[in-house]
Amino acid sequence: MFRRVTHSRENVVALFLSLHQAPGLSAEEVAGYGPDVARGVHATFRQMYANMDSGFIVTLYEADSAAAVEQEFERVGFPFDAINEIDFALSASELTEMLARG
């Protein structure tokens, strides 16, 4: 079954998935953002997926709120289209297990 991602604001921060459109962005430009992204002042970077040809980028951050992720993008100077909190997660192994149970 789906695993609900729960947050205890005392000791666990939420996960946020953000969408970006940056046509023409090169790997070198992404690397140039690296030091600022790694500093993580308002939110903590976890993962990035990108199609460099189309400029479609998805990032995963930990933060206390979507507003904190937005502040982080503004601090770094990287535009975003959407920021969404993740409240459900399902891994490939969990999907296989769910299907096996019927």
Side-chain angles (χ1 to χ4, degrees), residues 7-14 16 63-65 85:
H7 314 292
S8 166
R9 294 293 179 197
E10 295 171 11
N11 54 12
V12 177
V13 293
F16 294 89
D64 290 329
S65 66
E85 185 171 359

Side-chain angles (χ1 to χ4, degrees), residues 14-88:
L15 289 174
F16 294 89
L17 188 89
S18 59
L19 304 176
H20 313 261
Q21 288 293 322
L25 186 68
S26 69
E28 292 78 19
E29 289 171 304
V30 170
Y33 284 103
D36 279 335
V37 170
R39 273 189 44 221
V41 174
H42 305 287
T44 303
F45 172 79
R46 289 292 171 235
Q47 190 77 38
M48 176 181 135
Y49 300 94
N51 180 303
M52 300 307 278
D53 288 336
S54 70
F56 181 76
I57 300 170
V58 176
T59 57
L60 183 64
Y61 275 81
E62 286 183 354
D64 290 329
S65 66
V69 178
E70 184 173 344
Q71 279 184 294
E72 186 67 6
F73 289 134
E74 289 171 355
R75 181 190 69 78
V76 171
F78 199 77
F80 65 92
D81 296 310
I83 299 170
N84 294 284
E85 185 171 359
I86 296 172
D87 64 358
F88 286 96

